[in-house]
Amino acid sequence: MKYLDEYRHPEIVKKLAAAIKAITTQPWNIMEVCGGQTHSIIKYGIDQLLPGEINLIHGPGCPVCVTPLAYIDKALAIAAQPEVIFCSFGDMLRVPGTDHDLLSLKAQGADIRIVYSPLDALNLARQHPGRNVVFFGVGFETTAPTTALAAYQAKQQDLSNFSLLICHVRVPPVMQALLRSPNNQVQGFLGAGHVCSIMGYHEYLPLCAHYQIPIVVTGFEPVDILHGLYLCIKQLEEKRCQVENEYSRVVNMQGNQPAQQLMRQVFDIVDRSWRGLGEIAASGLALTAEYEQWNAERRFAVATINTQEPRDCRSGEVLKGLIKPAHCPEFGKRCTPEHPLGATMVSSEGACAAYYRYRRFEHA
Amino acid sequence: MPDLELNCPLPLQYDQIVMAHGGGGRLMRQLLDSIIQPVFSNPVLNQKHDSAVLNINGSRLAFTTDSYVVKPLFFAGGDIGKLAVCGTLNDLAMSGALPLYISCSLIIEEGFAIKDLQRIVQSMQQTAQQAGVLIVTGDTKVVEHGSGDGVYINTAGIGIIGEGINSAPAGIQAGDSIIINSDLARHGIAVMLEREGMNFESTLQSDCADLSGLVQGLIQAGIDIHCMRDLTRGGLASCLMELADASHQAIEINETALPIREDVKSACEILGFDPIYIANEGCFALFVPEAQTEKTLAVLREHPLGQQACSIGRVKAAHPKGLVTLQTAMGISRVLDLLSGEQLPRIC
Amino acid sequence: MCLAIPGQLISLSDDRDPLARTGRVSFSGIRKEISLAYVPDAKINDYVIVHAGFALSVLDEADAVASLQAFNDLSAFEKNHGI
């Protein structure tokens, strides 16, 4: 595919890996924020190309992983209603709630459908006027505009049998929360390229300046990730800290204005709890009062569900980079992709699941 | 009767069946290994071959059965009828048999259109005729509206295995070349793109085809076949992992050698799928001695279904647990693992 | 998070409401109707980055070509980065 294959070119990959090796003189901990980047790193074995000094910390950028248990329980409570068609992105179906996951609920007869886009859920609502169609809106600022448009169109067309269970999250507050944490290990960030395609990267300037940390907005292909790492390591080695944009073919400073405008119209910024990390101020998005009618939490009276998380999962420490997945005593034992104990084993992008799939044998 | 506990190293973690139990991945393996195989256990079943190989009055008979539950019933490149006949023919072919007779059981949902049923049975007959086999027995049941997806088909088949042919996993040896006859993942992607709600346009067709003619060509050419297996549910990766496990060998395949169409690759990128785990219905893996690689490729390429035949890897050495590694384009080797079930579209 | 891939815009709907505008995008032969609500300036033949049925941005081809050239012309890359 054009503009994809070029960024997987083995020769360029090898050259960039050599360039990184040439400039690295000491250990550095770098976090890739986005789960898509984690997936690429593990799938292509990018970490195996890096010098031993470079330690990649897989960040909390997998929305499937960080969606709090309470919201999974809300989703399960709504999806169990007989008149509901519950629509979700594929990966959310395997996330365990308190008692079971959406896949098990589907097995018991609930009408749960995988959709590619929130607009597909909107179409289902039009096709089934007698049913209550609910879309589970999870994801970062990349996905939030897609559910914002679904909400906007539902309101415009007065589609009363459609509603949204919204658990969108914002990236800058979680980066700040990690940097503030007393045992923070992260010395440089690869910024999430597709989040920045919507939000730009001006939000990172104050973070970079305040915490004196390099942030390189980075794409998702091997060449992008290695180039992002190269730029980040170069800053660290030269004792600089700047916000750089490796992914300039897609991202600009200000981001996507029409998308940001509709997000402001549809969503308020709220505090949100993250699975494994706890509550982070101003890190979530919720429907505004104007869209209350399309809020599934109200429509199905699940707003009071407030399940707390089990203590035996150490995904919080994995997300903060304090331990590697294989260091958790439950990794590969009680906690597997078939029966995930917590956030990071849930999605194929989660750090634990990615390790389990591609690296388990090294730790056996 | 074997003790279920002793044969159940991997306890099932669901107390009811979920779709992933039929997805060709780890959950399906657990279901077979812990619930089904230990109860039925016998020397024939335990060969874990695509067909049971039976010695009857001095003849070696291959016997197999398979059920088909595809959605949609009609898709680009085939339909459930063609699929049901080809699938059983291929299972027979993989055991080195010349297919002879097949059966046809239909489970039809109340309300199903007669004209659709006609299309399906005609498609079955046409496929059987082309393969030179007869559909000689069958059964028809009707279930209430809402109890099925239009129609389910079960076919069973028998065939005769020629002298000296043994294509079971135990025949795999270190040093073998691994050859496939065509490009990967076309069936799974073609069907996925036509599912309700996906709304993709493409010219992609399922690779659904009867491989028995191609396999007979190999046998007639005197190729020393060590093992054959068709790459159905779970795709190339799951198939090779099963074979590595059954033969206790370490297998290595080369990512750059895998033939995958550009449009199939694109669909996989959009949906977040890995094509080596996607289903095929006209593709098989063949293990032959390294010295016969070129000859095998030449024989395969003479047949319309083998034009893209290529060598994708080799059997490295014995390995107690069986292991499959993928040599990536970046020069890195990655251990492959079974997925839980079918891949779900990965959007985030 | 955020699986998004480039595809080429091959036709446009002529909706007056910019938020309702859609277009057909080709991903090496696979085509899909995509919302162009957030890329009002996208033109036919542009490459757009698509996520969950939406174009997130128009790919800057000049930028892509230039950066690829820099990677391909490795001596220049080395010089620029002082390897």
Side-chain angles (χ1 to χ4, degrees):
Chain A
M1 285 179 86
K2 202 171 177 193
Y3 298 121
L4 221 50
D5 294 337
E6 297 91 323
Y7 296 92
R8 294 175 183 171
H9 198 289
E11 286 311 310
I12 301 178
V13 164
K14 280 175 197 156
K15 197 73 198 176
L16 283 167
I20 287 172
K21 203 166 184 177
I23 59 166
T24 305
T25 65
Q26 65 183 95
W28 298 111
N29 292 324
I30 299 173
M31 174 178 278
E32 83 279 2
V33 172
C34 176
Q37 291 165 338
T38 307
H39 195 85
S40 281
I41 288 168
I42 306 291
K43 180 177 173 197
Y44 293 103
I46 292 169
D47 50 344
Q48 296 176 52
L49 295 170
L50 298 174
E53 290 93 338
I54 303 303
N55 177 35
L56 293 181
I57 300 175
H58 310 308
C62 163
V64 173
C65 300
V66 299
T67 299
L69 190 56
Y71 271 84
I72 309 297
D73 283 349
K74 286 176 199 202
L76 289 163
I78 294 170
Q81 317 261 340
E83 83 283 8
V84 165
I85 299 176
F86 193 84
C87 302
S88 168
F89 295 135
D91 262 15
M92 289 306 292
L93 267 57
R94 293 197 303 111
V95 185
T98 301
D99 296 324
H100 46 235
D101 56 24
L102 286 163
L103 267 187
S104 312
L105 196 63
K106 181 170 180 280
Q108 289 160 21
D111 193 345
I112 296 170
R113 305 192 190 184
I114 295 173
V115 291
Y116 171 70
S117 167
L119 299 184
D120 297 338
L122 207 60
N123 276 333
L124 277 172
R126 291 188 195 107
Q127 287 160 13
H128 301 277
R131 304 281 299 277
N132 239 316
V133 175
V134 182
F135 179 74
F136 194 5
V138 297
F140 288 100
E141 295 96 324
T142 323
T143 317
T146 72
T147 44
L149 191 75
Y152 173 83
Q153 290 191 345
K155 184 166 188 282
Q156 253 198 340
Q157 295 159 18
D158 202 20
L159 209 57
S160 60
N161 68 325
F162 180 76
S163 60
L164 297 136
L165 176 63
I166 294 293
C167 190
H168 285 302
V169 282
R170 301 174 62 230
V171 167
V174 74
M175 285 168 73
Q176 184 167 28
L178 289 166
L179 289 170
R180 264 191 196 156
S181 148
N183 43 17
N184 170 49
Q185 306 288 312
V186 182
Q187 295 168 295
F189 279 115
L190 300 189
H194 289 142
V195 166
C196 295
S197 73
I198 297 295
M199 300 309 293
Y201 52 90
H202 56 94
E203 292 175 287
Y204 297 154
L205 299 176
L207 274 181
C208 168
H210 186 269
Y211 295 96
Q212 294 289 300
I213 187 161
I215 302 176
V216 182
V217 176
T218 302
F220 297 81
E221 299 308 319
V223 165
D224 287 315
I225 291 170
L226 284 165
H227 187 212
L229 282 169
Y230 174 83
L231 295 173
C232 190
I233 295 164
K234 197 162 164 65
Q235 285 196 44
L236 289 165
E237 290 283 347
E238 293 172 1
K239 301 190 170 39
R240 286 184 291 123
C241 59
Q242 287 167 301
V243 178
E244 284 186 279
N245 182 11
E246 183 281 327
Y247 202 31
S248 55
R249 65 186 186 274
V250 171
V251 173
N252 62 47
M253 169 78 92
Q254 294 308 321
N256 186 319
Q257 295 302 318
Q260 290 176 29
Q261 194 184 337
L262 196 70
M263 281 165 73
R264 280 193 296 271
Q265 201 177 319
V266 173
F267 297 127
D268 285 328
I269 293 177
V270 296
D271 298 344
R272 169 81 23 90
S273 171
W274 293 53
R275 197 164 190 166
L277 292 177
E279 182 155 299
I280 300 172
S283 69
L285 296 172
L287 290 168
T288 63
E290 206 187 327
Y291 283 88
E292 200 53 33
Q293 203 186 321
W294 288 272
N295 184 346
E297 285 193 61
R298 288 295 165 91
R299 184 171 300 185
F300 298 95
V302 295
T304 52
I305 293 178
N306 187 24
T307 329
Q308 296 304 307
E309 285 167 37
R311 288 279 131 217
D312 41 358
C313 172
R314 297 177 67 186
S315 60
E317 290 162 79
V318 173
L319 292 174
K320 286 179 186 161
L322 298 178
I323 61 169
K324 288 275 176 196
H327 298 150
C328 172
E330 305 296 352
F331 177 81
K333 299 186 176 76
R334 269 177 69 215
C335 184
T336 63
E338 286 76 38
H339 187 75
L341 207 58
T344 44
M345 186 61 94
V346 164
S347 147
S348 57
E349 281 181 20
C352 293
Y355 260 77
Y356 187 87
R357 177 161 313 147
Y358 298 125
R359 290 292 164 72
R360 181 159 48 102
F361 301 94
E362 293 166 20
H363 303 288
Chain B
M1 183 84 183
D3 183 348
L4 260 183
E5 284 302 310
L6 288 175
N7 285 287
C8 188
L10 295 166
L12 287 188
Q13 279 133 349
Y14 285 95
D15 50 17
Q16 77 258 318
I17 295 293
V18 296
M19 287 306 290
H21 283 123
R26 186 175 299 284
L27 281 173
M28 190 170 96
R29 177 83 78 89
Q30 282 179 15
L31 184 73
L32 295 179
D33 287 352
S34 63
I35 301 293
I36 295 172
Q37 178 99 19
V39 177
F40 295 146
S41 177
N42 63 62
V44 180
L45 183 72
N46 298 351
Q47 289 176 346
K48 297 192 179 178
H49 205 3
D50 271 352
S51 301
V53 177
L54 310 170
N55 288 302
I56 299 175
N57 291 340
S59 296
R60 282 164 77 222
L61 214 59
F63 174 46
T64 189
T65 183
D66 219 329
S67 298
Y68 298 84
V69 293
V70 66
K71 224 197 287 189
L73 296 171
F74 301 93
F75 48 85
D79 56 70
I80 189 170
K82 182 181 178 190
L83 197 65
V85 174
C86 289
T88 288
L89 292 174
N90 291 347
D91 279 349
L92 293 171
M94 291 306 119
S95 60
L98 180 69
L100 295 175
Y101 302 107
I102 61 178
S103 70
C104 163
S105 280
L106 301 166
I107 297 172
I108 312 166
E109 185 183 2
E110 181 184 29
F112 191 65
I114 294 284
K115 74 169 177 30
D116 285 341
L117 188 63
Q118 274 172 330
R119 263 179 84 187
I120 290 167
V121 293
Q122 270 156 14
S123 167
M124 291 183 79
Q125 174 59 15
Q126 196 189 351
T127 312
Q129 215 158 20
Q130 281 166 2
V133 299
L134 294 175
I135 298 173
V136 290
T137 183
D139 179 50
T140 304
K141 294 283 187 299
V142 177
V143 294
E144 278 177 22
H145 184 75
S147 301
D149 287 314
V151 63
Y152 300 141
I153 303 180
N154 172 277
T155 51
I158 54 170
I160 292 277
I161 304 173
E163 212 165 303
I165 299 166
N166 191 348
S167 59
I172 296 174
Q173 291 173 21
D176 282 356
S177 280
I178 306 167
I179 290 168
I180 56 174
N181 65 306
S182 73
D183 60 297
L184 296 169
R186 232 187 308 140
H187 175 75
I189 294 296
V191 170
M192 171 65 76
L193 294 183
E194 289 197 29
R195 289 231 170 110
E196 188 197 15
M198 294 304 276
N199 302 316
F200 285 98
E201 302 164 44
S202 84
T203 53
L204 197 61
Q205 298 215 327
S206 163
D207 64 345
C208 176
D210 159 32
L211 294 168
S212 57
L214 186 60
V215 171
Q216 284 303 310
L218 290 167
I219 292 170
Q220 279 153 22
I223 300 294
D224 180 14
I225 298 166
H226 283 180
C227 179
M228 290 184 284
R229 174 89 32 125
D230 55 344
L231 314 176
T232 54
R233 265 178 311 184
L236 172 72
S238 307
C239 165
L240 292 181
M241 279 179 268
E242 256 175 56
L243 294 178
D245 179 61
S247 64
H248 307 292
Q249 297 284 349
I251 288 173
E252 182 176 84
I253 55 170
N254 223 321
E255 189 173 38
T256 50
L258 302 177
I260 305 170
R261 282 168 55 121
E262 274 303 305
D263 48 4
V264 170
K265 277 189 198 167
S266 305
C268 287
E269 294 289 347
I270 297 167
L271 298 167
F273 288 166
D274 190 340
I276 63 174
Y277 290 93
I278 300 279
N280 310 272
E281 289 293 345
C283 189
F284 75 111
L286 171 65
F287 291 71
V288 297
E290 196 179 3
Q292 287 205 354
T293 309
E294 289 311 315
K295 184 182 172 191
T296 307
L297 289 173
V299 174
L300 287 170
R301 285 173 187 155
E302 276 169 26
H303 193 281
L305 295 173
Q307 310 258 298
Q308 297 188 74
C310 58
S311 165
I312 59 161
R314 62 190 198 94
V315 181
K316 284 171 70 181
H319 187 281
K321 287 182 187 163
L323 187 73
V324 183
T325 51
L326 177 77
Q327 198 68 28
T328 74
M330 317 280 160
I332 281 160
S333 127
R334 191 179 102 200
V335 174
L336 297 183
D337 190 21
L338 283 178
L339 301 183
S340 295
E342 240 180 323
Q343 297 183 90
L344 301 176
R346 185 167 68 85
I347 191 77
C348 42
Chain C
M1 165 56 188
C2 313
L3 191 68
I5 64 160
Q8 191 171 28
L9 194 51
I10 52 173
S11 66
L12 293 166
S13 73
D14 52 357
D15 219 295
R16 259 180 242 155
D17 175 3
L19 287 178
R21 205 168 75 118
T22 63
R24 278 162 78 235
V25 174
S26 170
F27 306 92
S28 300
I30 306 281
R31 290 169 300 282
K32 186 166 171 63
E33 191 85 9
I34 295 296
S35 168
L36 302 177
Y38 300 133
V39 287
D41 300 328
K43 303 179 300 294
I44 290 194
N45 292 332
D46 279 353
Y47 277 82
V48 291
I49 303 290
V50 174
H51 167 72
F54 284 71
L56 302 179
S57 71
V58 178
L59 188 136
D60 183 340
E61 289 189 73
D63 181 292
V65 169
S67 73
L68 281 170
Q69 207 139 31
F71 292 134
N72 278 317
D73 183 1
L74 291 166
S75 56
F77 180 80
E78 284 170 20
K79 209 170 112 199
N80 283 343
H81 295 283
I83 300 165

